């Protein structure tokens, strides 16, 4: 344990908790340099008990608080994150390896939007009523669940963390939240922000540490009524199995193997830009990334050549500089991605570009960079086309006609997101209706309206986030039927 390194602490009962003397600390690595730059608490059951106790005492006041007052608390948090945008963006870049410009333009503004959106949404969240003629009326109360658990991954750390925390708090719950142990820093800054914003103590508690340790403890704690989880499909399955015997409410946003369908009648430049971004944004580490690119045969050769040309122009390197692609999140993840490329080679795939680790000189000498990689010639049932790689790796393949496009697109166990690129309106509607995915983008990718349902089908998860879906998830409906006949 290196005492010179700063230590990321838990946020419990409105305070940053002093790590217990014997608490084990985990190292936190900067993926762009490969250097350990801070440490974090590896929370224990004792920390969880303290957090649950704090949440229990905060709950009556928070759930009874006037909605406008609760919303003002969330607005205040949003305002302070916005004020400190540069600090948050620098932390996200340092922790995750993503380009600083991306964190500034996307991750942190979206965290601000998450708090603002749900602060406003809760003021419009109304109960339904169902009249039974002149005989009776039903109305539905939606009460907060109580204490809920929010567990998020490392790819969009603050963005996804707050996407869960904000609606949970807005709906009147108290929250025990755990960020990924690989990217804890912006969650730690959020704790400082909540203290400054005067969020009542115990309403939000943030515990750091390993998923298999404190994450698992949160999932199985009997006083935690619901789990909102975003992460890998295997972890989601484990969580579902553990939570089911306690009948916890579950929202699972899991992996994807998303298809990109390019038709000959697409808008050429717009499509190339969109396909490039969808395959490689955030180093390909977005659950929504289009990692299977299918192109109509009549334009296949030209489109492939133009895409390869654009890939060759991507700038990879120090995320603090003006680059398109930074480092992958960890050495372990980089090796997993490089292993997947080796599998593609072994399966007979042709690596059209990339395929290797990229050495970056200077301060990033020890960083985890992988070249953007495009692979051709693999069948649908190959491991490469079936399993999520979650890195800057995509496959490309021609198709003939709508039926084959649909068959290829729908032919995996995942069902998170698809994009369709065509100027033919009828075709776009037809295809969108038949794609087995929770989200379909036509002539765009990752265009988000926070009111819309967000989530996947099949192995990509259960439930939807966003808008009313999130507020319904974080509340328990109770129907009251009054007979006046
Ligand atoms: P993991 O499933 O490994 O981890 C996600 C979170 O769960 C982390 O905080 C992790 O902690 C925690 N965790 C791990 N094991 C357990 C457990 N047994 N009980 C409770 N919590 C646990 O995913 P990654 O962090 O590797 O994230 C990448 C995955 O997330 C990809 O598959 C990606 O597709 C998916 N994802 C899905 C999205 C969606 O909306 N559908 C969006 C973004 C990503 P720790 O990190 O400390 O181990």
């Amino acid at each position: 344990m290196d005492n010179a390194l700063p230590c990321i602490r838990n946020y419990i009962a409105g305070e940053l908790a002093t790590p217990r003397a014997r608490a084990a600390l985990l190292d936190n690595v900067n993926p762009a340099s490969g250097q350990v730059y801070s440490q974090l608490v590896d929370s224990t059951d004792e920390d969880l008990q303290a957090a649950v106790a704090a949440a229990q005492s905060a709950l009556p006041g928070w759930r009874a608080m006037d909605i406008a007052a609760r919303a003002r608390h969330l607005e205040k948090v949003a305002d302070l994150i916005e004020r400190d945008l540069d600090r948050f963006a620098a932390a996200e870049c340092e922790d995750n390896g993503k380009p600083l410009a991306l964190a500034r333009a996307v991750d942190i503004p979206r965290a601000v939007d998450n708090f603002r959106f749900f602060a406003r949404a809760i003021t419009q969240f109304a109960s339904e009523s169902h009249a039974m003629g002149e005989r009776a009326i039903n109305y539905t109360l939606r009460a907060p669940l109580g204490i809920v658990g929010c567990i998020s991954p490392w790819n969009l750390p603050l963005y996804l963390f707050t996407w869960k925390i904000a609606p949970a708090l807005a709906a009147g719950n108290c929250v025990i939240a755990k960020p990924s142990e690989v990217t804890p820093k912006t969650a730690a800054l959020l704790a400082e922000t909540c203290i400054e914003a005067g969020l009542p103590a115990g309403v939000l508690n943030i515990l750091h540490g390993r998923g298999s340790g404190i994450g698992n403890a949160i999932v199985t704690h009997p006083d935690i009524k619901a789990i909102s989880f975003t992460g890998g499909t295997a972890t989601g399955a484990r969580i579902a199995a553990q939570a089911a015997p306690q009948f916890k409410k579950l929202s699972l946003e899991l992996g994807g193997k998303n298809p990109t369908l390019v038709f000959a009648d697409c808008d050429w430049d717009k499509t190339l830009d969109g396909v490039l971004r969808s395959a490689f944004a955030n180093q390909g580490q977005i659950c929504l990334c289009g990692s299977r690119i299918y192109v109509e045969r009549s334009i296949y050769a030209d489109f492939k050549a133009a895409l390869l040309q654009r890939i060759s122009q991507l700038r990879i390197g120090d995320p603090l500089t003006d680059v398109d692609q930074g480092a992958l999140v960890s050495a372990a993840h980089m090796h997993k991605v490089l292993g997947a490329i080796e599998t593609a080679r072994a399966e007979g795939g042709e690596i059209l570009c990339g395929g290797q680790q990229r050495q970056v000189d200077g301060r990033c000498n020890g960083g985890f960079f992988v070249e953007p990689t495009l692979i051709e010639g693999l069948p649908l049932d190959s491991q490469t086309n079936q399993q999520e790689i979650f890195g800057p790796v995509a496959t490309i393949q021609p198709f003939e006609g709508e039926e084959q496009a649909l068959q290829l697109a729908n032919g995996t166990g995942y069902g998170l997101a698809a994009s369709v690129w065509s100027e033919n309106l009828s075709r776009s509607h037809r295809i969108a209706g038949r794609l087995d995915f929770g989200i379909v983008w036509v002539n765009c990718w990752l265009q988000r309206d926070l009111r819309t349902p967000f989530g996947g089908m099949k192995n990509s998860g259960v439930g939807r986030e966003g808008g009313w879906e999130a507020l319904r998830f974080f509340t328990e409906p109770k129907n009251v039927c009054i007979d006046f006949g």
Side-chain angles (χ1 to χ4, degrees):
M1 172 175 150
D2 184 346
N3 289 322
L5 292 173
C7 178
I8 287 172
R9 294 187 278 164
N10 287 336
Y11 170 55
I12 301 173
E15 292 175 351
L16 298 179
T18 310
R20 279 163 294 101
R22 285 182 292 120
L25 297 184
L26 304 170
D27 285 340
N28 188 24
V29 175
N30 178 338
S33 68
Q35 302 295 314
V36 175
Y37 77 99
S38 71
Q39 291 182 307
L40 59 142
V41 170
D42 191 15
S43 301
T44 62
D45 283 352
E46 219 177 296
D47 298 309
L48 179 58
Q49 292 310 344
V52 169
Q56 268 160 345
S57 43
L59 189 60
W62 184 246
R63 65 186 293 162
M65 189 180 284
D66 183 68
I67 284 173
R70 219 192 282 150
R72 273 197 301 277
H73 277 294
L74 300 191
E75 294 267 13
K76 179 77 180 163
V77 173
D79 291 347
L80 294 184
I81 299 174
E82 192 168 49
R83 181 198 70 189
D84 294 340
L85 189 139
D86 287 337
R87 193 162 159 247
F88 273 95
E92 209 70 292
C93 169
E94 191 171 25
D95 238 8
N96 173 277
K98 68 177 65 204
L100 178 61
L102 187 68
R104 285 181 55 92
V106 177
D107 291 72
I108 310 306
R110 174 57 190 277
V112 173
D113 287 348
N114 289 341
F115 276 106
R116 285 218 175 109
F117 175 84
F118 284 107
R120 292 167 191 176
I122 195 64
T123 65
Q124 307 299 314
F125 190 47
S127 60
E128 308 97 82
S129 84
H130 300 91
M132 300 172 77
E134 294 180 359
R135 205 157 43 88
I137 187 156
N138 298 270
Y139 63 88
T140 310
L141 297 171
R142 288 189 181 272
L145 299 173
I147 305 175
V148 299
C150 297
I151 301 178
S152 58
W154 46 256
N155 61 330
L156 301 165
L158 192 68
Y159 176 132
L160 291 176
F161 199 50
T162 55
W163 179 232
K164 299 178 178 306
I165 291 170
L169 292 178
N173 301 283
C174 289
V175 175
I176 315 278
K178 190 198 98 61
S180 170
E181 78 192 62
V182 189
T183 52
K185 195 163 176 188
T186 45
L189 293 183
L190 176 66
E192 290 175 23
T193 299
C194 290
I195 293 170
E196 186 183 345
L199 190 71
V203 160
L204 171 64
N205 303 275
I206 299 176
L207 300 180
H208 295 279
R210 288 167 302 118
S212 56
I214 191 63
N216 186 58
I218 292 172
V219 169
T220 50
H221 195 291
D223 294 332
I224 296 181
K225 301 297 175 202
I227 299 293
S228 174
F229 169 81
T230 297
T233 294
T235 316
R238 200 170 313 128
I239 288 175
Q242 284 172 321
Q246 293 184 33
F247 306 109
K248 292 191 185 203
K249 250 181 143 175
L250 275 183
S251 166
L252 302 174
E253 300 295 340
L254 309 177
K257 190 71 188 176
N258 311 300
T260 302
L261 301 180
V262 179
F263 286 88
D265 55 19
C266 68
D267 176 324
W268 188 258
D269 284 321
K270 184 179 179 186
T271 304
L272 275 167
D273 287 345
V275 172
L276 184 78
R277 195 166 80 84
S278 123
F280 300 113
N282 204 44
Q283 299 71 245
Q285 301 168 132
I286 304 180
C287 51
L288 307 159
C289 275
S291 55
R292 296 183 291 138
I293 304 167
Y294 298 115
V295 184
E296 198 159 11
R297 193 176 292 282
S298 60
I299 60 162
Y300 183 75
D302 290 345
F303 192 88
K304 183 177 78 174
L307 185 61
L308 282 168
Q309 213 262 332
R310 292 201 187 204
I311 295 172
S312 72
Q313 290 168 348
L314 289 175
R315 296 156 305 166
I316 304 143
D318 186 342
L320 289 174
T321 64
D322 189 15
V323 291
D324 302 297
Q325 208 177 286
L328 269 61
V329 76
S330 66
H333 189 59
M334 176 181 73
H335 290 301
K336 187 173 157 238
V337 170
L338 292 172
I341 296 171
E342 282 319 303
T343 300
R345 277 201 181 94
E347 289 184 308
E350 186 184 346
I351 312 292
L352 299 177
C353 67
Q356 305 188 55
Q357 184 176 356
R358 168 73 63 93
Q359 196 56 47
V360 175
D361 294 333
R363 101 177 169 100
C364 294
N365 195 19
F368 316 130
F369 299 85
V370 173
E371 294 177 342
T373 301
L374 192 64
I375 304 169
E376 190 182 38
L378 287 172
L380 179 61
D381 63 1
S382 61
Q383 203 174 310
T384 308
N385 274 324
Q386 289 294 325
Q387 291 183 6
E388 184 183 46
I389 297 173
F390 217 55
V393 181
T395 60
I396 188 163
Q397 188 181 327
F399 70 82
E400 209 106 44
E402 285 179 27
E403 282 307 317
Q404 197 192 10
L406 278 163
Q407 182 221 334
L408 289 166
N410 288 335
T412 76
Y414 292 104
L416 186 53
S419 71
V420 181
W421 301 84
S422 166
E423 292 296 299
N424 180 331
L425 195 59
S426 309
R427 186 211 301 281
S428 302
H429 283 298
R430 233 177 3 248
I431 298 254
R434 293 180 61 198
L435 282 166
D436 297 334
F437 293 84
I439 301 156
V440 177
W441 279 294
V442 176
N443 296 327
C444 60
W445 176 75
L446 199 40
Q447 188 155 306
R448 293 281 291 118
D449 179 329
L450 302 191
R451 294 169 299 181
T452 59
F454 178 89
M457 301 178 182
K458 304 199 281 192
N459 294 344
S460 293
V462 175
R464 296 291 184 273
E465 298 185 304
W468 301 144
E469 304 279 345
L471 294 177
R472 289 199 182 111
F473 174 76
F474 284 116
T475 51
E476 188 81 80
K478 181 197 292 177
N479 192 67
V480 180
C481 177
I482 301 174
D483 184 296
F484 47 78

